Amino acid sequence: MSARLSDLHAALGGVLHGTGDRVVVRIAPLAEAGADAVAFVAHPRYRAALAGSRAGVVIAPPDLVADVLARSEPPAGGWACWESPDPYGTFARLTQWWRQHVQPRPAALGVHPTAWVAPGARVHPTARLGPFAVVEDGAVVDEDAELGAHAVVQARAHVGAGTRLGAHVVLGYDCRIGARGLVHGGTVIGADGFGFAPVPLPGGEGKRWEKIEQLGAVRIGDDVEIGANCCIDRGALGDTVLEDGVKLDNLIQIGHNVHVGRHTAMAGCVGIAGSARIGAFCTLGGGAIVLGHLELADHVHISAASVVMRSILQPGQYSGIFPIDDNRAWEKNAATLRQLHALRERLKALERRTTP
Amino acid sequence: MSARLSDLHAALGGVLHGTGDRVVVRIAPLAEAGADAVAFVAHPRYRAALAGSRAGVVIAPPDLVADVLARSEPPAGGWACWESPDPYGTFARLTQWWRQHVQPRPAALGVHPTAWVAPGARVHPTARLGPFAVVEDGAVVDEDAELGAHAVVQARAHVGAGTRLGAHVVLGYDCRIGARGLVHGGTVIGADGFGFAPVPLPGGEGKRWEKIEQLGAVRIGDDVEIGANCCIDRGALGDTVLEDGVKLDNLIQIGHNVHVGRHTAMAGCVGIAGSARIGAFCTLGGGAIVLGHLELADHVHISAASVVMRSILQPGQYSGIFPIDDNRAWEKNAATLRQLHALRERLKALERRTTP
Amino acid sequence: MSARLSDLHAALGGVLHGTGDRVVVRIAPLAEAGADAVAFVAHPRYRAALAGSRAGVVIAPPDLVADVLARSEPPAGGWACWESPDPYGTFARLTQWWRQHVQPRPAALGVHPTAWVAPGARVHPTARLGPFAVVEDGAVVDEDAELGAHAVVQARAHVGAGTRLGAHVVLGYDCRIGARGLVHGGTVIGADGFGFAPVPLPGGEGKRWEKIEQLGAVRIGDDVEIGANCCIDRGALGDTVLEDGVKLDNLIQIGHNVHVGRHTAMAGCVGIAGSARIGAFCTLGGGAIVLGHLELADHVHISAASVVMRSILQPGQYSGIFPIDDNRAWEKNAATLRQLHALRERLKALERRTTP
């Protein structure tokens, strides 16, 4: 597992300072990289970390080239600087090139003999199906798509070209995912949304729940990545929609009829309740919750573990997190918080009393 | 996919105003429904939305019938009003009728040839098993039950009549689910509860965890729906219990020995810690957490993302959510919150000093 | 399902008061145990519960032996007290003995005929594979390991001796789990970490996300238990690591490059963001969240639902939970909380004004 620096550079562009005639065996963070590794630095605030790094090759912006090359005790062959106007983007594309050429992902080849494809399904000859994958009646799997072991594409569902579904993924009936998507293991797309009408029980002791059949589906655009063990529910009447370029981490819940705008990203454990409408270019931190039927404008950023209880129509960063503290301090402050409104009233009274 | 209004009405009852001699092709929300759709309105507060709706047929309570019919610019055939004392319930039953007669769910037919049934299992001749479904030794699958692709019913487990387990559902050994249940994809019923005894390590540096084997099971009543990728753990000594009519959304964690009373509903991402006892007719909002060994009385309603840290013995609505704000405001308020108890002391001192 | 008390005692040690010549049919909590059951009591604070218990056999510490034996109305054969310096540990080992000898878990026998093992995989002859289990090329399954139904061990992954993977577990390519581990159903180990570089779109309206391929893996030590439907992501460049003896409950998210120290335990629904470093002997309560790149020292304990937003370098218990209250009280206090900083300023002003 190694590559010549000149080959990396030829594939990905930029300006090379120092000789490309060297072998790179890994990509590593600045602090851990040795003479045989490529690292990257994106911003002058990491100048000190850069100065201490032993990385043989560093992807750096123009204003850090001199710093890369001026480090003391260079290895045999000297330091190399791979100049890029966007080092983080070059690093990302380098990992992709590395994955393709140096450290390829193990992949299914063709259709595994144990996979089951219904007679009425259409699987493109270039698609790859893992062991025990299932494609049900009327479903379509486009060219170069890949289904992991035990993945299930239910009746009339559609997997776009080049899209990969991981092991145990379920794409529910009538649901669609576009091209170049990636869905990680165990995610369930197209389970029923959570919809019930309350019906009084005889005797007045309470209500039971009458099922509202979920007649919609899920529509997912192109270039969408969804993590492991997520749930994207089908719509009640219309569809649940994830637009192009959306990125979801693991264990995320997307309720029925939610609409997520393009290039919005959500970290792990986020929950979006039914019929919420999330704009484009938003980010939601891990564990954030958005209540039902709310709207988030484009470019809204929600901090981790914050709960959105009202629509947010202005771009910006929003937070609502109880600060963590040692347990004794927290207990005192939390107890006082339960009297906060009363404290305010007392303060008001005091202000009135002491006003000259 | 269409139906005659007269057929819908004949099946579901109520009073029809206007002619039933028309074809309906979809069920839709008021705002999106056209002349060929059925919509519903449940409450006079939606009168304005109703007035603007182009829905050809509207399910409405008696006091809104006139409003439905009085809308201007009626389509050919005129407006129709489907009067019902409980429009939401009628709508729910309409979705069920629609699912059955107009837009049927694709379903397994009989036992798929790739399914594996242990010799000692009992699968009713009318039960349906999807591809690669597994029924282990001593398990029972009752009449008209359905197992999705890759569903696993472990040894001695019991699936009640008419109950459907989605793709990849696991019903653990010795666990039971009653009749007419529905469990969505990826849910694991009967994993071990989280039980360990701390055992000091030699040298006193800390404790390791000694496994407490979980000897109980999970018992689930009739008419229970459980969403996708949930976890319902088996009990440590006794059983974990979900009573009749319980409804759980996706990604819900139910710890060992929890008892959930009938007709209680929980939204997505809720976590109930071990041995908690939740009453009947409760609701828990998305992301709510209930700590272990607590009790919630019947008819207790917990808001989304709230943490129940003490038993709640009185019916009512309870909340505990940090309000979201723009990031700067939140930072200031959160920082001050860490001094809240001290502020209270300062206020007290001030009150004492200024008391005449 | 029963055992002689003398056999239990012979296997597990301790001092027996009363006759061992009796049959025990269950292990039960003090409050539910009858004459045919074993219960345990660990601390004098449960003296009252002990006094009321009808448990025929009670595991108890030395200072409670007399209480166990002095209970009134003994059954035929009298009360028995099983004295142990660590009753909780003895109880834990008793459940293990019971599971092995009295109530054995149903287990796969050998390799199920429907399992699929790639030609280049190495499965030890004593390993057991359930129906439709998959072992891909280059993977290793050590002696006495067990794969549940539909479990997938991807290419070059390694399952240690005696480790059990539940139904539908995925162990991703190149990932390793050590000896005596237990992973419950539906957990996905080795999905891609959530890593993307933002790339401006032409026109300046926003950014799209460029995939950073995740080139690391997951390394899990010995004696690790992981609950159901968890996600342990592979590292971006290096590996994600769970050290020996770590215990995770259900629905837990471990981001890429996280490092969890040995014997640390996390309750359900915890989320640990990327590159966080959690010490040894820590505990995290249900639903707690740790943000990315933070460090927790050894012996740090985080309460349920608390959000760790800064590194915690001192051992201790830490909390950050909004106290739950009836809805009206909460609304008032939460509204006031949004003006908390302003209240502090008003208090300050008042203090200045009233200082003599």
Side-chain angles (χ1 to χ4, degrees):
Chain A
M1 302 214 304
S2 67
R4 298 198 76 74
L5 174 56
S6 52
D7 291 341
L8 302 180
H9 173 247
L12 299 167
V15 178
L16 203 56
H17 305 266
T19 169
D21 179 31
R22 70 181 75 201
V23 167
V24 165
V25 304
R26 69 177 57 84
I27 310 171
L30 271 184
E32 297 166 21
D36 55 1
V38 189
F40 83 97
V41 59
H43 197 274
R45 70 170 162 265
Y46 298 112
R47 205 163 243 144
L50 172 59
S53 172
R54 306 291 309 156
V57 186
V58 181
I59 309 172
D63 55 348
L64 287 175
V65 171
D67 294 79
V68 172
L69 298 174
R71 289 173 296 161
S72 57
E73 301 179 51
W79 303 116
C81 182
W82 182 349
E83 181 185 338
S84 160
D86 173 19
Y88 196 28
T90 299
F91 162 74
R93 287 190 303 276
L94 170 61
T95 63
Q96 295 170 9
W97 191 93
W98 197 266
R99 174 58 87 200
Q100 237 179 321
H101 296 89
V102 183
Q103 190 185 333
R105 199 171 25 81
L109 299 168
V111 173
H112 195 275
T114 61
W116 188 78
V117 178
R122 264 176 33 221
V123 174
H124 194 276
T126 59
R128 301 177 302 282
L129 273 60
F132 309 114
V134 170
V135 185
E136 297 186 353
D137 207 42
V140 176
V141 178
D142 281 344
E143 58 191 299
D144 200 35
E146 182 179 325
L147 310 189
H150 301 102
V152 177
V153 177
Q154 293 185 340
R156 300 182 303 258
H158 191 129
V159 180
T163 286
R164 291 191 282 132
L165 307 186
H168 292 142
V169 166
V170 179
L171 183 65
Y173 59 93
D174 294 322
C175 297
R176 312 175 51 96
I177 179 167
R180 296 174 305 279
L182 176 53
V183 183
H184 290 283
T187 282
V188 177
I189 299 169
D192 280 354
F194 196 61
F196 300 91
V199 174
L201 286 173
E205 54 165 345
K207 288 171 179 169
R208 67 174 183 81
W209 301 99
E210 181 83 41
K211 169 92 169 168
I212 296 170
E213 287 286 344
Q214 304 292 300
L215 301 169
V218 178
R219 278 185 291 130
I220 300 176
D222 295 334
D223 302 298
V224 170
E225 182 164 339
I226 302 176
N229 283 342
C230 292
C231 300
I232 322 287
D233 278 354
R234 66 176 62 242
L237 299 173
D239 290 340
T240 304
V241 176
L242 305 183
E243 292 190 354
D244 292 348
V246 165
K247 309 293 179 190
L248 305 186
D249 197 355
N250 301 329
L251 288 168
I252 287 177
Q253 150 73 354
I254 305 286
H256 54 180
N257 298 99
V258 165
H259 188 113
V260 180
R262 66 214 176 87
H263 303 298
T264 280
M266 305 186 192
C269 308
V270 161
I272 311 289
S275 300
R277 200 174 169 91
I278 313 292
F281 307 111
C282 295
T283 59
L284 288 95
I289 287 184
V290 179
L291 301 195
H293 296 271
L294 300 183
E295 187 180 343
L296 266 62
D298 295 349
H299 296 286
V300 165
H301 305 285
I302 304 294
S303 297
S306 300
V307 182
V308 180
M309 289 180 287
R310 53 179 175 86
S311 288
I312 296 182
L313 304 177
Q314 295 303 318
Q317 179 85 35
Y318 297 82
S319 303
I321 315 173
F322 201 106
I324 196 165
D325 213 334
D326 67 83
N327 203 57
R328 251 164 54 105
W330 166 74
E331 275 190 352
K332 279 193 200 172
N333 290 323
T336 312
L337 178 53
R338 296 187 65 185
Q339 320 159 10
L340 185 57
H341 184 74
L343 288 183
R344 173 171 163 269
E345 296 306 305
R346 281 158 60 184
L347 180 62
K348 261 188 182 165
L350 214 52
E351 284 171 331
R352 270 195 300 268
R353 206 183 324 144
T354 60
T355 302
Chain B
M1 303 213 303
S2 68
R4 299 199 75 75
L5 175 55
S6 51
D7 292 340
L8 302 180
H9 173 247
L12 299 167
V15 178
L16 204 57
H17 305 267
T19 170
D21 180 31
R22 69 181 76 200
V23 168
V24 165
V25 303
R26 68 176 57 85
I27 310 171
L30 271 184
E32 298 166 22
D36 55 1
V38 188
F40 83 98
V41 60
H43 198 273
R45 70 171 162 265
Y46 298 112
R47 205 163 243 144
L50 172 61
S53 172
R54 305 292 308 157
V57 186
V58 181
I59 308 171
D63 56 347
L64 287 175
V65 171
D67 294 79
V68 172
L69 298 175
R71 290 172 296 158
S72 58
E73 300 179 52
W79 303 115
C81 182
W82 182 348
E83 181 185 338
S84 161
D86 173 19
Y88 197 28
T90 299
F91 161 74
R93 287 190 302 277
L94 171 62
T95 63
Q96 296 170 8
W97 191 94
W98 197 266
R99 174 58 88 200
Q100 237 181 320
H101 296 91
V102 184
Q103 191 185 333
R105 200 171 24 82
L109 298 168
V111 174
H112 196 275
T114 62
W116 187 78
V117 178
R122 266 179 28 225
V123 174
H124 194 277
T126 58
R128 302 178 300 281
L129 273 61
F132 308 114
V134 170
V135 184
E136 297 186 353
D137 208 41
V140 176
V141 179
D142 282 343
E143 57 190 298
D144 200 36
E146 182 178 325
L147 309 189
H150 300 101
V152 177
V153 177
Q154 293 184 341
R156 301 182 302 259
H158 191 129
V159 181
T163 286
R164 291 191 282 131
L165 306 186
H168 292 141
V169 166
V170 179
L171 183 66
Y173 58 94
D174 294 322
C175 297
R176 311 175 50 95
I177 180 167
R180 296 174 305 277
L182 177 52
V183 183
H184 290 283
T187 282
V188 177
I189 298 169
D192 279 355
F194 197 61
F196 301 91
V199 174
L201 286 173
E205 55 165 343
K207 289 172 179 166
R208 66 173 184 81
W209 301 99
E210 181 83 40
K211 168 91 169 170
I212 297 169
E213 287 286 345
Q214 305 291 299
L215 301 169
V218 178
R219 280 185 289 132
I220 300 176
D222 295 333
D223 302 298
V224 170
E225 182 164 340
I226 302 176
N229 283 342
C230 292
C231 299
I232 322 286
D233 277 355
R234 66 176 61 243
L237 298 174
D239 290 340
T240 303
V241 176
L242 306 184
E243 292 190 352
D244 292 347
V246 164
K247 310 293 179 189
L248 306 185
D249 197 355
N250 302 329
L251 288 168
I252 286 177
Q253 150 74 354
I254 304 285
H256 54 180
N257 298 99
V258 166
H259 188 113
V260 181
R262 64 211 178 89
H263 304 297
T264 280
M266 305 187 192
C269 307
V270 161
I272 310 289
S275 300
R277 199 172 170 92
I278 313 291
F281 307 110
C282 295
T283 59
L284 289 96
I289 286 184
V290 178
L291 300 194
H293 296 270
L294 300 183
E295 186 180 343
L296 266 61
D298 295 349
H299 297 285
V300 165
H301 305 284
I302 305 294
S303 297
S306 300
V307 182
V308 179
M309 289 181 286
R310 53 179 175 87
S311 289
I312 297 182
L313 303 178
Q314 294 303 319
Q317 178 85 36
Y318 296 82
S319 303
I321 315 172
F322 201 106
I324 196 165
D325 213 335
D326 67 84
N327 204 57
R328 252 164 53 106
W330 167 75
E331 275 190 352
K332 279 194 201 171
N333 290 322
T336 312
L337 178 52
R338 297 187 64 185
Q339 318 160 10
L340 184 57
H341 184 75
L343 287 183
R344 171 170 163 268
E345 296 305 305
R346 281 160 59 186
L347 180 62
K348 261 188 183 165
L350 214 53
E351 284 171 331
R352 271 195 298 269
R353 208 188 315 148
T354 60
T355 301
Chain C
M1 302 214 305
S2 67
R4 298 198 76 73
L5 175 54
S6 51
D7 292 341
L8 302 179
H9 174 246
L12 299 167
V15 178
L16 204 54
H17 305 266
T19 170
D21 179 31
R22 68 180 78 200
V23 167
V24 164
V25 303
R26 67 177 57 84
I27 310 170
L30 271 183
E32 297 166 21
D36 56 0
V38 189
F40 83 98
V41 61
H43 197 275
R45 70 169 162 267
Y46 298 112
R47 205 163 243 144
L50 172 59
S53 173
R54 305 291 309 158
V57 186
V58 180
I59 309 172
D63 55 348
L64 288 175
V65 171
D67 296 76
V68 171
L69 298 175
R71 290 173 296 159
S72 57
E73 302 179 49
W79 303 114
C81 183
W82 182 349
E83 181 185 338
S84 160
D86 173 18
Y88 197 28
T90 299
F91 162 74
R93 287 191 303 277
L94 170 61
T95 63
Q96 295 170 9
W97 191 93
W98 198 266
R99 173 59 88 200
Q100 238 180 318
H101 296 90
V102 183
Q103 191 185 332
R105 200 170 25 80
L109 299 167
V111 174
H112 195 275
T114 61
W116 188 78
V117 177
R122 266 180 27 225
V123 174
H124 193 276
T126 58
R128 302 178 300 283
L129 272 60
F132 309 114
V134 170
V135 185
E136 296 187 353
D137 207 39
V140 176
V141 178
D142 282 344
E143 58 190 299
D144 199 34
E146 181 178 326
L147 310 189
H150 300 102
V152 177
V153 177
Q154 292 184 341
R156 300 183 303 258
H158 190 129
V159 180
T163 287
R164 291 192 282 131
L165 307 186
H168 293 140
V169 166
V170 180
L171 183 66
Y173 59 94
D174 294 322
C175 297
R176 311 176 50 96
I177 179 167
R180 297 175 302 279
L182 177 52
V183 183
H184 289 283
T187 281
V188 178
I189 299 169
D192 280 355
F194 196 62
F196 300 91
V199 175
L201 286 174
E205 54 165 345
K207 289 171 178 167
R208 68 173 182 82
W209 301 99
E210 182 83 40
K211 169 90 169 169
I212 297 169
E213 286 286 343
Q214 304 292 298
L215 301 169
V218 178
R219 278 184 291 132
I220 300 175
D222 295 334
D223 301 298
V224 170
E225 182 164 340
I226 302 177
N229 283 340
C230 292
C231 298
I232 321 287
D233 277 355
R234 66 176 60 243
L237 299 173
D239 290 341
T240 304
V241 176
L242 306 184
E243 293 190 352
D244 292 348
V246 164
K247 310 293 179 189
L248 305 185
D249 196 356
N250 301 328
L251 288 168
I252 286 177
Q253 150 74 354
I254 304 285
H256 55 181
N257 298 99
V258 165
H259 188 113
V260 181
R262 64 213 178 89
H263 303 297
T264 280
M266 305 187 192
C269 307
V270 161
I272 310 289
S275 299
R277 200 173 170 91
I278 313 291
F281 307 109
C282 295
T283 59
L284 288 97
I289 287 184
V290 178
L291 300 195
H293 296 271
L294 299 184
E295 186 180 344
L296 265 61
D298 295 350
H299 296 285
V300 164
H301 305 284
I302 305 295
S303 298
S306 300
V307 182
V308 180
M309 288 181 287
R310 53 180 174 86
S311 288
I312 297 182
L313 304 177
Q314 295 303 319
Q317 178 84 36
Y318 297 83
S319 303
I321 315 172
F322 201 106
I324 196 165
D325 214 335
D326 68 82
N327 203 56
R328 251 164 53 107
W330 166 75
E331 274 190 352
K332 278 193 198 170
N333 289 323
T336 312
L337 178 52
R338 297 187 64 185
Q339 318 159 13
L340 185 58
H341 184 75
L343 288 183
R344 172 171 163 267
E345 296 306 305
R346 282 160 58 185
L347 181 62
K348 261 187 181 163
L350 213 52
E351 284 171 331
R352 270 194 299 270
R353 210 190 311 148
T354 60
T355 301

